[in-house]
Amino acid sequence: FSQNSKLREIDEGAFCYSSLKRISIPKNVNKISNAAFTNCCSLETVEILGDELVLGQRCFDKCQNLAIVSLPNAKIASISIIAFASISNNFSLFIPANAKLFSFCL
């Protein structure tokens, strides 16, 4: 992504089955749609730089090597209760202590 990316949303299935190992998602992105990264078996780390975020259903489903998702700038995060289905037992989600965290099920 370019430094000045205007991208607002990662669309459904956008990176499915890709061989990404790590990704840093620009600050203007405020939504990771359903199944956006499903079956990214090599994906290990994700940094999402936005401050108001929505992580959709199964957006990181079957990412067996996913170890870290970091939301360092999050003020508000709405995360589907199944956003991280079928991932590694060693998974960690980092979010600021003062962020408002909501979960949802659709």
Side-chain angles (χ1 to χ4, degrees):
F1 299 101
S2 70
Q3 277 292 59
N4 298 322
S5 175
K6 301 293 183 205
L7 184 66
R8 305 280 297 155
E9 180 176 340
I10 304 292
D11 288 333
E12 188 167 334
F15 291 96
C16 281
Y17 296 96
S18 76
S19 59
L20 289 170
K21 285 192 173 191
R22 63 191 61 79
I23 188 167
S24 181
I25 298 173
K27 66 180 179 181
N28 288 329
V29 173
N30 60 12
K31 183 176 182 184
I32 310 294
S33 295
N34 298 348
F37 290 90
T38 295
N39 285 299
C40 290
C41 296
S42 299
L43 190 60
E44 297 172 356
T45 61
V46 177
E47 180 180 55
I48 306 171
L49 299 172
D51 59 2
E52 292 187 20
L53 305 166
V54 175
L55 303 183
Q57 294 181 28
R58 301 188 182 279
C59 59
F60 294 101
D61 188 21
K62 299 178 185 166
C63 295
Q64 292 92 351
N65 290 308
L66 186 59
I68 299 170
V69 172
S70 179
L71 313 175
N73 304 322
K75 294 178 183 170
I76 300 172
S78 296
I79 302 175
S80 166
I81 62 170
I82 57 172
F84 302 104
S86 301
I87 58 170
S88 165
N89 291 336
N90 298 321
F91 173 75
S92 296
L93 174 65
F94 293 99
I95 187 166
N98 61 341
K100 293 180 181 177
L101 182 59
F102 302 95
S103 62
F104 64 92
C105 180
L106 296 176

